[in-house]
């Protein structure tokens, strides 16, 4: 693949994209109670956006990580749990920490963060499994009348036909937040760069700094 087929993204650019989306979230009065980062690509954006969502006098928003990999990207390993046909769950919510410090996800505003929405398979899986998790908790605790609001934040949404959906209501109510919609090219993120100076220069040349 030549450099022209790739989009280089700098750390500065990512910082600014997180800032832009945080501003939108705060303007909509939808500051999340918890951020769920999809590892590993969602971790750095999740950490950055948390700072921009900080409100004086309020506690830092907790971040939990969930690990999802597409089947095709992994050599199968007996230590991971195979759930669907396409997505493998390598890490899930830390319920002990949630119970101890946070109550539960029920009735909360939950922001799910990943770096890129490519085929949408991963985001579909994350949203639908987390929704199921909450419904189970609601039944268990008899708290069926509390509404949990899931939002999604990605740095980049690739403009292409998707293989899976997100809830219509989420898309229509502005709770799907993609900082930029990009053509269907390979995105090179700075955390994967071997030479960060060269990477940053290439990002600058493409206007992604
Ligand atoms: P999905 O197809 O489920 O939307 O995306 C699956 C995962 O593939 C993403 O979370 C991301 O880790 C990876 N991925 C998809 N497209 C790109 C890309 O252009 N660049 C990088 N670095 N990773 C990508």
């Amino acid at each position: 693949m030549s450099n022209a087929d790739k989009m280089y993204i700098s750390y500065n650019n990512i910082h600014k994209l997180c800032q832009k989306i945080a501003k939108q979230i705060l303007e909509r009065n939808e500051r999340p109670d918890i951020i769920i980062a999809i590892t590993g690509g969602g971790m750095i954006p999740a950490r950055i956006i948390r700072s921009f969502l900080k409100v004086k006098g309020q506690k830092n928003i907790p971040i939990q990580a969930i690990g999802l990999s597409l089947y095709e990207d992994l050599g199968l390993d007996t230590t991971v749990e195979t759930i669907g046909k396409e997505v493998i769950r390598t890490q899930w919510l830390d319920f002990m920490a949630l119970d101890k410090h946070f109550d539960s996800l029920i009735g909360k505003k939950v922001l799910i963060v990943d770096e890129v929405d490519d085929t949408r398979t991963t985001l579909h899986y994350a949203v639908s499994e987390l929704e199921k998790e909450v419904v189970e908790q609601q039944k268990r605790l008899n708290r069926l009348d509390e509404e949990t609001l899931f939002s999604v934040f990605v740095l980049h949404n690739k403009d292409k036909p998707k293989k899976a959906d997100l809830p219509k209501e989420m898309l229509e109510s502005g709770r799907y937040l993609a900082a930029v919609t990009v053509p269907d090219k390979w995105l090179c993120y700075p955390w994967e760069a071997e030479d960060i100076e060269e990477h940053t220069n290439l990002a600058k040349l493409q206007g992604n700094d």
Side-chain angles (χ1 to χ4, degrees):
M1 203 188 289
S2 75
N3 280 354
D5 297 323
K6 298 180 191 166
M7 267 182 77
Y8 290 85
I9 316 293
S10 71
Y11 279 117
N12 277 10
N13 185 238
I14 289 167
H15 205 85
K16 290 176 205 166
L17 297 182
C18 292
Q19 187 171 23
K20 168 178 130 174
I21 295 298
K23 192 165 172 270
Q24 287 176 17
I25 292 174
L26 293 178
E27 279 168 2
R28 288 163 52 92
N29 248 329
E30 289 192 351
R31 183 176 183 263
D33 300 296
I34 184 163
I35 295 172
I36 298 183
I38 302 178
T39 64
M43 297 176 89
I44 293 175
R47 176 60 190 89
I48 297 172
I49 201 168
R50 173 167 87 166
S51 290
F52 288 116
L53 290 168
K54 177 119 182 96
V55 171
K56 234 181 157 186
Q58 298 264 11
K59 277 202 287 188
N60 267 331
I61 302 167
I63 301 179
Q64 283 231 346
I66 59 173
L68 303 174
S69 288
L70 291 191
Y71 211 76
E72 62 200 13
D73 295 337
L74 273 186
L76 265 191
D77 176 341
T78 50
T79 61
V80 297
E81 190 185 348
T82 307
I83 304 281
K85 247 193 193 155
E86 288 178 281
V87 182
I88 292 166
R89 200 190 270 199
T90 53
Q91 184 182 342
W92 199 239
L93 298 172
D94 179 349
F95 290 105
M96 291 259 283
L98 275 181
D99 286 349
K100 201 163 163 208
H101 305 292
F102 191 71
D103 172 33
S104 73
L105 297 183
I106 303 170
K108 301 290 196 306
K109 295 191 191 78
V110 182
L111 181 65
I112 301 167
V113 181
D114 207 355
E115 86 280 45
V116 52
D117 175 358
D118 181 25
T119 64
R120 201 161 275 180
T121 310
T122 306
L123 286 172
H124 165 83
Y125 181 88
V127 173
S128 54
E129 289 298 302
L130 288 167
E131 279 180 345
K132 271 192 234 162
E133 201 74 68
V134 171
V135 171
E136 277 167 27
Q137 283 182 342
Q138 284 183 293
K139 286 187 189 149
R140 222 174 25 243
L141 301 171
N142 200 15
R143 288 170 57 180
L144 294 169
D145 51 355
E146 294 173 54
E147 192 190 10
T148 308
L149 272 189
F150 286 99
S151 305
V152 162
F153 162 47
V154 289
L155 299 169
H156 299 104
N157 172 31
K158 289 195 201 175
D159 188 11
K160 65 192 281 186
K162 303 294 183 183
K163 287 191 188 161
D165 295 327
L166 285 169
K168 199 164 163 260
E169 195 260 324
M170 172 187 276
L171 298 171
E172 287 174 355
S173 61
R175 283 186 287 106
Y176 170 79
L177 299 149
V180 212
T181 298
V182 293
D184 187 11
K185 289 188 173 186
W186 186 253
L187 297 157
C188 302
Y189 289 101
W191 46 81
E192 293 166 341
E194 280 195 30
D195 181 338
I196 192 63
E197 305 296 345
E198 185 196 19
H199 178 101
T200 309
N201 285 337
L202 288 166
K204 274 187 190 159
L205 283 173
Q206 295 183 340
N208 303 320
D209 60 333

